[in-house]
Amino acid sequence: MLGFTIEKRQEPLKWGSFFIFLVALVFSLGVSGLLLAIQGKPPLEAMYLLWDGAFAHDWALEDTVLKAIPIFLCSLGVAVCFRMQIWNIGAEGQYALGAVGATWVVLSMPDAPMWALLPLMFLAAAVLGGLWAIIPALLREKMGLNEIISTLMFNYIGILFLEFLVYGAWKDPASFGFPMTIMFPDTAIIGEFFGRIHWGILVCAGAAAALTVFLKHTRLGFEIMVSGENPRAARYARMPYSALVVLVMGICGALAGWAGLIETSATLNRLQPTIMVGYGFTAIVVAWLARLRITSIAGYSILLAGLRVGVENLQLELQVPASFTGIMQGLILLSVLAGQFFNWYSFQRSKRG
């Protein structure tokens, strides 16, 4: 009697990851089209509008890159935590606190020159975002509190704290009651680099390069990698495991804080609740799709940013709900993760009795 057994491959398929991603993407788009057809929307036209709104024109590419910048920075930080098997789900709250820190600097010294103001904004965003991430790290190491729960709860506290400020003490008196701060002075705005793409893209490049060197060419980076592979072995080798947990959480918080600063300064030119659009949660999807690799994070950030921009086009043309972005992201993530099984395992025929 013929049967099948599952056997692990000696090494993954050479082009397996790329092929699996393509199949998963096609499958996800197919299911998305089916869902649209059930709603009475033309699926082929919808897929064209998705592409047209995200990648087909200069303005569409600029919009995609602008959304990819904060996603990329948040994803970098999340990936560092995940490498150590520290499940930081709090990038959204750290992003909010970074925006708050940068805005506090602007409101405290609005007449400062740009050469002083922008560095102080970056410093404040990194400090507040980093501290917001370090608190759950300390709770984990000192009290055994699960970081998934604590960072998730800290997201909502951080978002509500931001809203508390812009609805209250920081609200612009001339905003006709809308929750927003005053417009930032020109000295506090990150300018444009190419077209509508701002200098934040160079911050992404610098952060990625620095993080690559740190992880691959420093002792701390090596200890982070070892601790992620085997925490018990890291402790046995007397590596400072608890300190490393605090370090990676602080790095993630600082990078997410910079993302919040850049979105506040370069995109909106003021602080308002509309900066909270879920970039921190999207970063988790990007990090997993990229398998925590920095170069892949860049590509997946652009892909998921493009989905956001493309779905905005679907909203305008076909009245598709905004939540459709989340559906597509989830389908792609689940399809890729499920497909990785075939990259590492194979079905083999076996004879039974």
Side-chain angles (χ1 to χ4, degrees):
M1 180 179 177
L2 289 176
F4 291 92
T5 59
I6 298 173
E7 294 184 6
K8 188 170 184 178
R9 302 181 192 275
Q10 294 296 322
E11 57 183 23
L13 295 173
K14 187 173 182 181
W15 293 96
S17 294
F18 179 71
F19 178 73
I20 287 167
F21 168 72
L22 286 181
V23 172
L25 183 61
V26 171
F27 174 77
S28 303
L29 292 176
V31 174
S32 300
L34 180 62
L35 292 174
L36 289 171
I38 292 172
Q39 289 188 325
K41 314 291 185 185
L44 292 179
E45 181 183 353
M47 294 302 108
Y48 169 76
L49 290 171
L50 187 70
W51 166 263
D52 188 66
F55 302 109
H57 308 281
D58 290 346
W59 57 265
L61 283 171
E62 287 176 347
D63 282 343
T64 296
V65 172
L66 289 174
K67 283 181 167 54
I69 288 171
I71 293 173
F72 178 79
L73 286 172
C74 291
S75 301
L76 278 183
V78 168
V80 175
C81 289
F82 288 179
R83 280 176 182 270
M84 250 192 90
Q85 297 189 40
I86 304 300
W87 311 118
N88 178 13
I89 313 298
E92 187 79 353
Q94 295 144 26
Y95 168 93
L97 265 290
V100 167
T103 303
W104 174 77
V105 171
V106 176
L107 298 180
S108 300
M109 48 185 73
D111 298 323
M114 180 179 286
W115 62 265
L117 192 56
L118 280 178
L120 286 173
M121 289 168 65
F122 273 92
L123 177 62
V127 169
L128 258 70
L131 286 175
W132 203 246
I134 286 172
I135 295 171
L138 294 174
L139 291 173
R140 178 188 191 274
E141 293 304 303
K142 300 299 182 183
M143 302 179 67
L145 181 61
N146 187 291
E147 73 274 11
I148 296 175
I149 296 172
S150 59
T151 53
L152 185 62
M153 294 299 101
F154 268 54
N155 281 333
Y156 299 106
I157 298 171
I159 294 168
L160 290 172
F161 180 60
L162 183 152
E163 292 181 355
F164 168 76
L165 291 172
V166 294
Y167 277 94
W170 287 1
K171 184 164 73 171
D172 181 6
S175 67
F176 301 100
F178 290 100
M180 59 183 67
T181 65
I182 60 172
M183 288 290 291
F184 286 2
D186 291 342
T187 51
I189 293 176
I190 297 172
E192 294 174 344
F193 171 66
F194 180 78
R196 291 187 297 121
I197 299 171
H198 50 70
W199 288 94
I201 195 168
L202 295 188
V203 176
C204 292
L211 205 55
T212 300
V213 171
F214 172 71
L215 291 174
K216 292 187 176 181
H217 302 289
T218 68
R219 178 175 177 175
L220 279 175
F222 172 74
E223 290 178 344
I224 288 171
M225 304 291 280
V226 171
S227 298
E229 292 291 334
N230 194 327
R232 292 181 65 184
R235 287 190 175 98
Y236 183 79
R238 302 193 178 213
M239 293 181 183
Y241 183 80
S242 294
L244 291 173
V245 170
V246 173
L247 175 62
V248 296
M249 289 288 280
I251 290 172
C252 179
L255 289 170
W258 278 2
L261 149 69
I262 290 170
E263 191 70 6
T264 304
S265 170
T267 304
L268 298 179
N269 308 142
R270 69 199 323 163
L271 181 64
Q272 57 192 70
T274 54
I275 70 163
M276 305 308 303
V277 292
Y279 289 145
F281 295 118
T282 301
I284 298 169
V285 179
V286 168
W288 277 120
L289 287 174
R291 299 174 67 186
L292 312 183
R293 294 177 299 204
I294 291 175
T295 51
S296 299
I297 285 173
Y300 283 109
S301 295
I302 291 174
L303 172 65
L304 294 197
L307 287 181
R308 283 175 169 268
V309 177
V311 169
E312 289 175 3
N313 199 31
L314 292 183
Q315 286 180 263
L316 293 173
E317 300 292 337
L318 299 178
Q319 291 72 56
V320 172
S323 58
F324 195 66
T325 304
I327 293 173
M328 295 189 72
Q329 288 179 6
L331 284 170
I332 292 172
L333 177 62
L334 291 174
S335 301
V336 170
L337 293 180
Q340 289 300 328
F341 173 86
F342 298 99
N343 198 30
W344 287 96
Y345 295 89
S346 64
F347 289 96
Q348 301 292 334
R349 282 187 178 183
S350 63
K351 289 185 178 181
R352 298 179 181 175

